[in-house]
């Protein structure tokens, strides 16, 4: 290690905070690659008597450094809290599991009895869960009370591995007469979807001691929400449920409302941006009215709730003396509805609990009621078929499935979807490349963004997106008239990572284009001179990138290897 590096490390370590059994290296941006890099950290750990909490957040730990740090931890039997979030920045995804295995094995060897394990903001994916699976099943975690895995990109596979490990931990700890009594579970922004959520719900039902569950932004729909609702009903100590930014719809909302009736300790309910709609909101209001006397916060913002349903929610909180915040912003009350809502709360002397209504939308016709009316009309028409003339019967019963209309390149690019891309057939890549004017940078960028917008991890779609991208971009980059610098500039603008003098609307989600770029930059046609530019902009802090941390990490990891 160079002398200037040693000096820098010494200065960072001088900021190390010690106290209350805690040793903290938090936020020191230490780059610990080798055993030599980690010498000072190891020394502090070894010399710390009665180590109960170790903070390593905001640093980056490699495989070799993790091994020697782990060796130092093998003698720290009193360690109870591992604050290890955001400690693999810039690491290859393949480095993270072995590093976690080393650290986990050390805790097991030490005979530690953990209370808290925080591995949030480490984009390790499903494979990373394997890295601490053994630890979760071991006696070191029989005492675990808080498990925090926010923003780790676990996916469905990782969720299933995690659920199985928790169930095994509960089974083993129960056999020892001290069943796992997990209190706090955090796993937001992990793309768990229905299958991952359902697997975890099964584990929650077995554990039964949860007090807080935070699972926002996981792409969970009503089957997964219903499974979670059933599991929550078996966890009577729940105080906080945060499922923000998933998709309940009426089915999920009604199932969750039934569970809320049984949870007497609830203090915070966050179903914001969950599309509970009006019927779901009324069901939740009924549950609130029947119980939830300790409720402090109710968030039903941005849920497409109409005026009457919102007013029902307001009326339901009349006797909730502990309530501090009611959030109904971003719904469809209209100006009159907002005024009525405020009047109701003023009548209860509770106007102060109402959050802002600045993003309220005008009340629209209730789509749910319209759908019901259409369904009833359809049923009536079917019931009248027997009295129809033969000609009318033929006309009304002509319900032969209409074949899907043929898809051409223009249709796909105008309204892209995975199904349309696949329906273009095996020559989709050739067709799109042929019909895109690669001398026009903007047309190439637009086509690439449309193609990548349908990206899915499912093999057929993923393959089609990658093959189509290859055909298009190989044609573009090998053209003598194609301006590569102008291309990357335009792409960054459309991604919202670079400002433009013109008003250009950024793509709504960066996940597809980031995953597509991760493939694209590895191909022989991609100019390696563009890699530093991409890396620089993808590294910068950006809210849109933060919501796609797994894809962002994958791309940065690949760019780092080029």
């Amino acid at each position: 290690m160079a002398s200037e590096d040693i000096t820098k490390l010494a200065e960072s370590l001088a900021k190390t905070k010690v106290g209350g059994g805690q040793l903290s290296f938090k936020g020191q941006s230490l780059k610990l690659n080798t055993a030599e890099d980690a010498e000072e950290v190891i020394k502090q750990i070894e010399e710390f008597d009665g180590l109960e909490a170790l903070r390593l957040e905001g640093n980056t730990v490699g495989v070799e450094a993790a091994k020697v740090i782990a060796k130092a931890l093998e003698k720290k039997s009193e360690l109870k809290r591992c604050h290890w979030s955001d400690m693999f920045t810039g690491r290859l995804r393949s480095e993270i599991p072995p590093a976690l295995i080393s650290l986990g094995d050390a805790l097991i060897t030490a005979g530690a009895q953990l209370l808290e394990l925080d591995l949030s903001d480490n984009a390790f994916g499903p494979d990373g869960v394997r890295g601490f699976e053994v630890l979760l099943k071991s006696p070191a975690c029989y005492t675990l009370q808080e498990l925090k895995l926010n923003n780790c990109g676990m996916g469905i596979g990782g969720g299933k591995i995690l659920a199985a490990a928790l169930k095994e931990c509960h089974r083993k700890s129960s056999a020892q007469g001290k069943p796992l009594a997990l209190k706090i579970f955090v796993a937001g922004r992990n793309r768990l979807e229905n299958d991952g959520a359902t697997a975890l719900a099964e584990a929650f039902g077995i554990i039964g001691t949860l007090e807080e569950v935070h699972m926002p932004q996981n792409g969970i729909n009503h089957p997964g929400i219903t499974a979670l609702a059933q599991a929550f009903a078996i966890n009577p100590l729940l105080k906080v449920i945060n499922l923000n930014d998933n998709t309940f719809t009426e089915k999920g909302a009604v199932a969750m409302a039934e569970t809320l009736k049984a949870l007497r300790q609830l203090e915070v309910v966050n179903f914001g941006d969950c599309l509970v709609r009006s019927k779901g909101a009324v069901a939740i209001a009924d549950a609130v009215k029947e119980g939830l006397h300790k409720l402090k916060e109710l968030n039903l913002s941005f849920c497409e709730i109409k005026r009457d349903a919102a007013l029902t929610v307001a009326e339901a909180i009349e006797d909730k003396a502990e309530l501090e915040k009611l959030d109904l912003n971003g719904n469809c009350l209209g100006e009159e509805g907002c005024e009525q809502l405020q009047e109701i709360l003023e009548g209860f002397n509770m106007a102060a609990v109402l959050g802002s209504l600045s993003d309220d939308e005008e009340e629209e016709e209730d789509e749910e009621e319209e759908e019901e009316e259409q369904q009833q009309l359809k049923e009536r028409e079917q019931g009248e078929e027997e009295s129809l003339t033969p000609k009318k019967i033929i006309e009304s019963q002509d319900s032969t499935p209409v074949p899907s209309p043929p898809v051409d390149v223009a249709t796909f690019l105008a309204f892209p979807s995975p199904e349309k891309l696949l329906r273009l057939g095996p020559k989709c890549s050739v067709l799109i490349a042929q019909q895109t004017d690669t001398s026009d940078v903007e047309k190439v960028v637009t086509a690439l963004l449309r193609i990548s917008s349908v990206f899915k991890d499912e093999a057929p779609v993923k393959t089609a997106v990658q093959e189509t991208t290859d055909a298009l971009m190989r044609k573009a980059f090998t053209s003598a008239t194609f301006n590569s610098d102008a291309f990357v500039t335009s792409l960054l603008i459309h991604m919202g990572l670079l400002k433009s003098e013109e008003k250009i609307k950024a793509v709504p989600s960066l996940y597809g284009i980031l995953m597509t770029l991760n493939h694209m930059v590895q191909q022989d046609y991609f100019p390696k001179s563009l890699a530093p530019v991409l890396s620089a902009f993808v590294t910068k802090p950006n809210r849109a990138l933060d919501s796609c941390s797994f894809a962002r990490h994958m791309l940065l990891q690949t760019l780092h290897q080029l």
Side-chain angles (χ1 to χ4, degrees):
M1 183 185 289
S3 58
E4 59 268 24
D5 292 333
I6 295 174
T7 302
K8 185 178 179 181
L9 180 60
E11 290 173 354
S12 293
L13 291 172
K15 302 174 187 175
T16 301
K17 296 179 182 178
V18 177
Q22 174 175 285
L23 177 60
S24 176
F25 301 95
K26 182 178 179 180
Q28 295 183 20
S29 301
L30 301 175
K31 294 181 180 179
L32 307 178
N33 298 316
T34 65
E36 185 182 4
D37 294 339
E39 280 180 359
E40 288 295 326
V41 173
I42 294 165
K43 181 181 178 183
Q44 298 235 21
I45 292 173
E46 289 177 340
E47 293 178 353
F48 196 112
D49 292 329
L51 180 63
E52 295 184 4
L54 178 61
R55 307 197 76 106
L56 292 173
E57 311 105 302
N59 299 290
T60 179
V61 181
V63 176
E64 189 179 339
K67 285 182 180 178
V68 291
I69 291 172
K71 195 69 179 173
L73 291 175
E74 287 181 356
K75 298 177 182 178
K76 301 299 175 181
S77 61
E78 296 178 26
L79 187 62
K80 292 179 173 61
R81 299 186 183 275
C82 298
H83 302 279
W84 295 348
S85 63
D86 189 23
M87 58 178 272
F88 296 111
T89 303
R91 296 290 166 188
L92 301 178
R93 186 172 167 184
S94 59
E95 289 183 90
I96 301 176
L100 288 173
I101 289 170
S102 295
L103 294 167
D105 287 348
L107 298 176
I108 296 169
T109 301
Q113 294 186 317
L114 294 184
L115 295 176
E116 180 179 358
L117 177 61
D118 186 355
L119 293 171
S120 298
D121 300 316
N122 290 309
F124 47 58
D127 295 340
V129 185
R130 293 285 187 198
F132 60 92
E133 179 186 15
V134 173
L135 172 63
L136 274 183
K137 295 177 180 179
S138 75
C141 285
Y142 290 177
T143 50
L144 195 64
Q145 295 181 3
E146 302 180 32
L147 179 58
K148 299 174 181 177
L149 299 166
N150 202 55
N151 193 29
C152 292
M154 290 191 290
I156 294 171
K160 289 182 176 180
I161 296 167
L162 176 61
L166 288 171
K167 288 192 289 184
E168 182 69 2
C169 180
H170 187 272
R171 186 188 68 79
K172 287 183 174 179
S173 58
S174 297
Q176 295 286 325
K178 46 181 180 181
L180 172 67
L182 192 65
K183 293 181 179 180
I184 298 174
F185 179 83
V186 181
R189 295 166 65 176
N190 270 292
R191 297 170 27 248
L192 294 169
E193 300 181 16
N194 289 331
D195 290 348
T198 300
L200 285 166
E202 188 177 335
F204 296 163
I206 292 171
I207 293 168
T209 56
L210 288 167
E211 295 181 10
E212 294 186 22
V213 175
H214 302 262
M215 295 174 66
Q217 293 184 1
N218 270 299
I220 308 170
N221 299 324
H222 73 81
I225 296 298
T226 300
L228 287 171
Q230 293 168 348
F232 292 165
I234 316 171
N235 284 265
L237 302 177
L238 271 170
K239 295 179 181 178
V240 178
I241 299 177
N242 177 6
L243 294 175
N244 190 286
D245 199 6
N246 289 291
T247 307
F248 283 40
T249 64
E250 182 189 342
K251 289 183 180 178
V254 169
M256 192 61 71
E258 283 302 307
T259 287
L260 295 183
K261 294 176 182 178
L263 299 176
R264 301 298 179 185
Q265 305 301 317
L266 263 183
E267 296 178 2
V268 177
V269 175
N270 186 344
F271 297 158
D273 204 10
C274 282
L275 202 66
V276 304
R277 292 195 171 126
S278 295
K279 289 185 179 178
V282 170
I284 291 169
D286 288 344
V288 171
K289 192 170 186 176
E290 286 187 24
L292 276 62
H293 296 294
K294 296 184 178 181
L295 190 64
K296 293 181 179 178
E297 181 178 335
L298 175 61
N299 185 345
L300 294 175
S301 60
F302 298 94
C303 281
E304 293 191 6
I305 300 170
K306 304 296 188 293
R307 179 183 60 182
D308 290 348
L311 299 181
T312 301
V313 172
E315 290 166 353
I317 66 166
E318 180 178 3
D319 62 344
K320 308 306 167 194
E322 302 291 323
L323 193 70
E324 298 171 0
K325 184 177 181 182
L326 171 63
D327 193 345
L328 288 169
N329 197 19
N331 287 300
C332 309
L333 282 66
E335 186 177 347
E336 184 180 346
C338 290
E339 291 174 358
Q340 290 175 322
L341 181 66
Q342 289 166 335
E343 287 173 6
I344 288 172
L345 294 174
E346 284 171 1
F348 302 153
N349 291 320
M350 297 179 72
V353 306
L354 182 63
S356 169
L357 297 174
S358 60
D359 292 317
D360 184 75
E361 298 180 9
E362 286 299 315
E363 187 174 20
E364 301 171 359
E365 185 179 354
D366 196 322
E367 293 179 6
E368 295 167 278
E369 289 182 6
E370 187 179 349
E371 288 171 7
E372 280 189 9
E373 288 171 3
Q374 289 176 351
Q375 182 63 27
Q376 289 169 0
L377 178 61
K378 190 182 293 183
E379 290 172 357
R380 282 199 300 272
E381 288 174 348
Q382 289 173 349
E384 293 168 359
E385 282 183 351
E386 294 178 4
S387 61
L388 295 176
T389 63
K391 182 179 178 181
K392 288 183 179 178
I393 292 175
I394 292 170
E395 290 174 351
S396 65
Q397 288 188 344
D398 186 15
S399 57
T400 304
V402 179
S404 300
V407 174
D408 56 20
V409 171
T411 303
F412 167 73
L413 291 176
F415 305 101
S417 72
E419 295 74 20
K420 287 176 187 170
L421 181 61
L422 294 177
R423 277 165 51 200
L424 279 171
K427 293 185 178 180
C428 64
S429 57
V430 177
L431 292 171
I432 291 176
Q434 285 177 342
Q435 296 184 39
T436 302
D437 180 4
T438 51
S439 65
D440 188 327
V441 165
E442 285 300 316
K443 288 181 180 178
V444 174
V445 170
T446 300
L448 176 62
L449 290 170
R450 296 291 172 85
I451 294 163
S452 64
S453 71
V454 305
F455 180 92
K456 282 187 174 183
D457 288 322
E458 298 168 6
V461 177
K462 181 178 180 180
T463 301
V465 168
Q466 291 178 346
E467 289 179 351
T468 307
T469 298
D470 288 343
L472 173 67
M473 299 314 301
R474 187 181 299 278
K475 179 185 174 186
F477 283 127
T478 54
S479 170
T481 59
F482 188 69
N483 188 328
S484 298
D485 292 333
F487 163 78
V488 77
T489 300
S490 177
L491 180 62
L492 290 168
I493 289 171
H494 283 276
M495 290 173 69
L497 305 182
L498 183 62
K499 290 184 179 180
S500 169
E501 293 180 2
E502 300 176 20
K503 286 188 177 181
I504 295 177
K505 188 176 181 181
V507 292
S509 172
L510 294 181
Y511 180 74
I513 185 60
L514 290 172
M515 294 300 286
T516 303
L517 283 171
N518 183 53
H519 166 80
M520 195 173 99
V521 300
Q522 299 178 62
Q523 309 311 308
D524 57 6
Y525 60 75
F526 181 78
K528 298 299 182 278
S529 60
L530 298 181
V533 180
L534 275 178
S535 182
F537 280 92
V538 176
T539 304
K540 286 183 177 180
N542 183 284
R543 186 176 295 178
L545 287 170
D546 290 343
S547 65
C548 304
S549 60
F550 175 71
R552 178 191 204 176
H553 175 78
M554 292 286 287
L555 176 57
L556 287 174
Q557 175 180 298
T558 302
L559 290 169
H560 180 71
Q561 291 176 294
L562 293 177

